[in-house]
Amino acid sequence: RLLVRDAVRTQGRLQPDVALIYAALSTDAAAAQRSLQDCGVGDCSVVISPADGREDALLGTATAFAVAESHTASGGHSVVIIDDVAPLQAFWESASTLLQAHLGTTGDPSEVRGYYGVLTERAGCLTPALGSGTLSALFLAANPSERRRAGAASTGATDRVYDLAEFTGDKYGPKVRARLQLLANKGVPITAATVKKLSIPVPEAPASGAALVHVDHLMSLSDGHISLDPGLAREGWVPSLD
């Protein structure tokens, strides 16, 4: 979200007449509004804050696009920010569970594309005959491995003892494995805290397949998409557009 704030701040400075519609799916509405005010775009922004619930996340997202389309139809320029894709994914999975329970079938993974396409296809640039308005959309999706690490930290799973066999791949050279073997021989448990002290990265389990499928479909639907790159942000690029 810090990267989004940089992008929003720059957008407001370069094009202050753009309407910003923020769908706060996993952010407190008041906090989102304060953040937009801090970026200097509070006076031209709308925060959509759906009630709790998976279906409300989808309704909130659709509402954000509807508000933006109204502004765009009058020749204005709009930017929709969906602050978290996870609730939309949760709604899809919930609907699939209901289909399985009542009809004995689930949503086909290929249909995920159509699910998001209904939203992403609303972004675009109108022709002069239609007023030349534009609608841009920004979907925030956390890296699945980052979500997993956050979940592990909240449940205390960071105390898990790793097996030496998990330290494989190019980032774990012979010297690294030798150091870990030495610790294991001394009876030192190989935990996240232990390897962190040695500046050794923690092994990661395979990322969530479902999460990756949803993000991949969003990226493929966004023809000519632009992403916010944390690496560029660390190098001082603001906004960190890739």
Side-chain angles (χ1 to χ4, degrees), residues 97-112:
T97 300
L98 288 174
L99 284 173
Q100 178 65 45
H102 295 285
L103 300 177
T105 184
T106 60
D108 189 277
S110 64
E111 295 174 341
V112 175

